Amino acid sequence: MKLAKLDFLLRYPRHLRRVLLAQGARPDQVEGIDPNEAPLDARMMRYRYGPWDPSYYAVLGSLIGRGLVEVAPLPGKGFGYRTSATGAQLAADLRADESFTHINLRLRLLRRYLDKSGTTLKNYIYELPEIADATWHEDLT
């Protein structure tokens, strides 16, 4: 659940700005986030616990198959995911690439202000009327 909520906030900069400001980020910290930028890649849809992308299963399977992500047991909670050493190196290489500067800004702010549980992030997102009022399977904007 946490991965899906962080992905949503990364893809939808106008919602990210609103959540960050509500969580204590200063306006000057979010001014580099363009609220009019279109979502990355495909749009997400409203599902049971908030925003969801049906391609998650295929993407995670592909990342695991390529050795970039590992499945990790969570005590009493099932399984989670973490980057492998190879995945961490690739992520570092992408952070160093200037073409990802605007994404890196968002990622730094996500980590600083929104490194919370999936449930907490879900609650923040449900404070956005556009998400809370959406019907199941409705594309999010």
Side-chain angles (χ1 to χ4, degrees):
M1 182 167 44
K2 182 175 181 175
L3 183 61
K5 304 313 168 249
L6 292 171
D7 180 39
F8 168 77
L9 292 167
L10 183 65
R11 286 193 207 188
Y12 291 81
R14 77 182 171 106
H15 297 309
L16 174 61
R17 284 176 56 101
R18 289 169 55 195
V19 171
L20 285 169
L21 290 169
Q23 296 311 309
R26 296 184 321 269
D28 64 302
Q29 292 176 300
V30 301
E31 69 185 14
I33 300 173
D34 181 359
N36 298 314
E37 186 178 334
L40 300 173
D41 196 21
R43 293 201 182 273
M44 297 178 81
M45 69 172 159
R46 166 73 159 78
Y47 201 60
R48 174 176 274 172
Y49 300 111
W52 183 257
D53 186 335
S55 69
Y56 283 146
Y57 298 114
V59 170
L60 281 169
S62 179
L63 292 171
I64 292 166
R66 288 180 168 85
L68 301 173
V69 169
E70 301 168 338
V71 178
L74 298 173
K77 294 185 178 183
F79 295 93
Y81 305 96
R82 65 174 173 232
T83 55
S84 65
T86 304
Q89 182 57 55
L90 178 59
D93 293 346
L94 291 173
R95 280 191 303 274
D97 186 326
E98 288 182 21
S99 62
F100 290 98
T101 300
H102 68 289
I103 301 271
N104 288 328
L105 166 66
R106 292 186 219 164
L107 289 171
R108 282 192 301 276
L109 290 168
L110 277 169
R111 182 159 192 105
R112 180 170 181 187
Y113 290 98
L114 300 173
D115 188 13
K116 312 282 185 191
S117 73
T119 300
T120 298
L121 293 172
K122 173 186 64 93
N123 293 339
Y124 292 166
I125 290 170
Y126 276 164
E127 292 175 11
L128 304 169
E130 304 94 312
I131 309 309
D133 297 340
T135 59
W136 276 29
H137 302 279
E138 179 180 337
D139 282 347
L140 301 175
T141 59

